[in-house]
Amino acid sequence: MEAPEVREKLFRSFAETHHAEYNEVIRQLKANMNGAKPNDAHYALAEYGVPIITMNIDGLHRQAGSDAVELHGGLPEDDEMDVAWSLYNKPVLYGDPAPNYQKAYEMVFDLEPGDVFLVVGCSFHTAIACDLREVAKARGARVIEIQSDAAHNVRKTLEALLK
């Protein structure tokens, strides 16, 4: 949402008709993420064994040790960059099927009254993000939002919940 000039190039129709330009956009996205390391929020979630549903494509939850359900897939491997336009789920593009959406709904539907659904740094701009919150509430889960300074507030929140 914050970069419409990039967002408009993340459609399957664009990838299929502008191979080189799409591949370059993905190369740039990957370059922007190269060197990114998990922060304490990623590690805390992994240490506490919190099931993760993420919209991020950076792979940081997996690097930290979580078995994250990546709603929008990941990025191509370095040796796949020349054919990035043809790959599915690397990342999921507008117009692509999103196979992990069903997994996410199933995870949230399994929540019970008294469970906690922790939302970390997730916008209200994406339909599935809003839907999953509503399903969690409907299942009786307590929804806790951490929208600022997640790197410091996630561990504090988890420690407070487990006292």
Side-chain angles (χ1 to χ4, degrees):
M1 297 305 244
E2 297 84 19
E5 67 283 356
V6 174
R7 188 175 188 266
E8 68 189 20
K9 295 176 182 168
L10 297 178
F11 284 80
R12 177 56 53 195
S13 57
F14 184 87
E16 289 177 348
T17 56
H18 300 87
H19 300 177
E21 192 174 351
Y22 173 80
N23 287 353
E24 186 54 36
V25 167
I26 297 301
R27 273 190 184 86
Q28 193 59 48
L29 280 173
K30 190 166 174 138
N32 290 344
M33 291 180 203
N34 275 345
K37 302 282 185 222
N39 62 33
D40 189 58
H42 297 100
Y43 288 116
L45 293 165
E47 288 168 23
Y48 283 92
V50 175
I52 305 293
I53 300 168
T54 184
M55 294 181 2
N56 295 339
I57 61 172
D58 56 22
L60 295 178
H61 286 291
R62 289 191 185 274
Q63 285 180 35
S66 292
D67 183 22
V69 172
E70 296 170 326
L71 293 178
H72 298 138
L75 289 168
E77 300 299 324
D78 290 339
D79 64 350
E80 298 174 316
M81 292 306 293
D82 289 338
V83 295
W85 67 271
S86 67
L87 303 175
Y88 283 81
N89 213 29
K90 288 188 174 190
V92 171
L93 301 178
Y94 296 100
D96 282 354
N100 288 333
Y101 278 34
Q102 183 64 34
K103 290 179 189 175
Y105 281 110
E106 289 170 1
M107 287 173 68
V108 177
F109 192 77
D110 284 342
L111 293 172
E112 297 179 357
D115 286 345
V116 173
F117 185 70
L118 187 62
V119 178
V120 180
C122 187
S123 78
F124 289 92
H125 296 290
T126 305
I128 190 163
C130 294
D131 285 353
L132 293 175
R133 285 177 175 98
E134 291 306 313
V135 171
K137 287 178 191 173
R139 300 295 299 156
R142 180 175 160 205
V143 177
I144 298 175
E145 301 256 354
I146 300 174
Q147 296 297 347
S148 63
D149 198 13
H152 296 101
N153 290 327
V154 167
R155 186 176 297 277
K156 289 178 190 175
T157 301
L158 291 171
E159 288 170 354
L161 286 170
L162 296 172
K163 282 186 179 180

